Amino acid sequence: MFEIYIENMWRKLSEEENNEFTYLDSLWFSLHAKGPHNSKVLSWIKRKDIFSKKYVFVPIVQLGHWFLLIFCHFGENSEAKCTFEVARIWNQKDMYSCFFHLPFLYRFVFDIFKTEERPENKELIRKLPLLSPKVPQQKNSEECGIFVLYYIYKFLKSAYGNVSFSTGCTHFMKENWFTHEDVERFTKSLNPIICDV
């Protein structure tokens, strides 16, 4: 269902927005982390041409929980100090998951750069800042998938034509970025999609 919802969101983007944004399949990170499917996953990612995009959404689902990784300005040169960011989408009790994922995140990013034959070396990639903005959190352990979708939706609306290196990729991602009522309205707007499938 997640893939159906996100594909529906993408169909509504303009050509200009499609030139700036893309997303990866929500299972790719997990497949890469397991090892045997690395080459296939990296081949699929290469077809996405992510270095030509300003923002790449990487939804991650592991251990029954959803996270969102956002690559920002990956196609810029090293002098531009490209960044990748993580929007925190877990409860306090799941905070350990962030630290569990860090080695996998850096390996994932390094493998993407290596597959694309980029000039950046491993040491430079390790120095890429990993930001975790303080954003609205879910109230229970069942809303994480919807929250990931809503983060993507809100980022699409907030970032297009509104973000530069001077303002940073997360300047609008604050604790008051949206309300739980906003999420509820968004969730209700998704329901009709099921009928179209």
Side-chain angles (χ1 to χ4, degrees), residues 1-27:
M1 293 312 301
F2 185 94
E3 292 302 319
I4 292 171
Y5 291 146
I6 198 168
E7 283 172 18
N8 186 66
M9 271 199 280
W10 240 256
R11 281 196 292 268
K12 296 176 181 176
L13 296 184
S14 67
E15 184 180 343
E16 290 80 12
E17 288 170 321
N18 265 297
N19 288 335
E20 289 199 359
F21 302 100
T22 193
Y23 67 93
L24 304 186
D25 187 287
S26 57
L27 298 178

Side-chain angles (χ1 to χ4, degrees), residues 63 90-102:
L63 304 174
W90 51 80
N91 295 327
Q92 284 299 117
K93 64 187 174 94
D94 295 321
M95 280 290 228
Y96 76 91
S97 299
C98 174
F99 301 103
F100 173 78
H101 279 93
L102 285 179

Side-chain angles (χ1 to χ4, degrees), residues 8 19 23 28 33 41 45 52-53 58 62 64-65 85 94-95 110 114 118 123-124 126 129 137 153 168 171 182:
N8 186 66
N19 288 335
Y23 67 93
W28 289 357
V41 172
I45 292 173
S52 72
K53 309 294 183 181
V58 186
Q62 281 195 322
H65 202 71
E85 309 176 4
D94 295 321
M95 280 290 228
F110 174 73
K114 186 178 178 182
R118 300 283 298 184
E123 193 57 37
L124 179 63
R126 280 202 186 106
Q137 299 290 300
Y153 173 80
H171 74 280
D182 294 331

Side-chain angles (χ1 to χ4, degrees), residues 33-118:
K34 288 175 184 175
H37 305 287
N38 275 359
S39 58
K40 280 187 180 179
V41 172
L42 293 168
S43 173
W44 296 333
I45 292 173
K46 191 169 186 176
R47 286 186 215 136
K48 282 282 194 173
D49 196 21
I50 66 173
F51 287 93
S52 72
K53 309 294 183 181
K54 285 188 178 179
Y55 310 103
V56 180
F57 300 102
V58 186
I60 298 169
V61 58
Q62 281 195 322
L63 304 174
H65 202 71
W66 288 82
F67 306 83
L68 178 63
L69 178 69
I70 306 173
F71 295 154
C72 297
H73 302 287
F74 251 29
E76 303 291 340
N77 59 41
S78 56
E79 284 77 24
K81 297 182 180 177
C82 53
T83 66
F84 61 101
E85 309 176 4
V86 174
R88 295 186 300 125
I89 308 172
W90 51 80
N91 295 327
Q92 284 299 117
K93 64 187 174 94
D94 295 321
M95 280 290 228
Y96 76 91
S97 299
C98 174
F99 301 103
F100 173 78
H101 279 93
L102 285 179
F104 295 103
L105 290 179
Y106 280 105
R107 193 182 81 198
F108 185 57
V109 172
F110 174 73
D111 286 348
I112 291 172
F113 273 76
K114 186 178 178 182
T115 300
E116 295 278 354
E117 299 179 348
R118 300 283 298 184

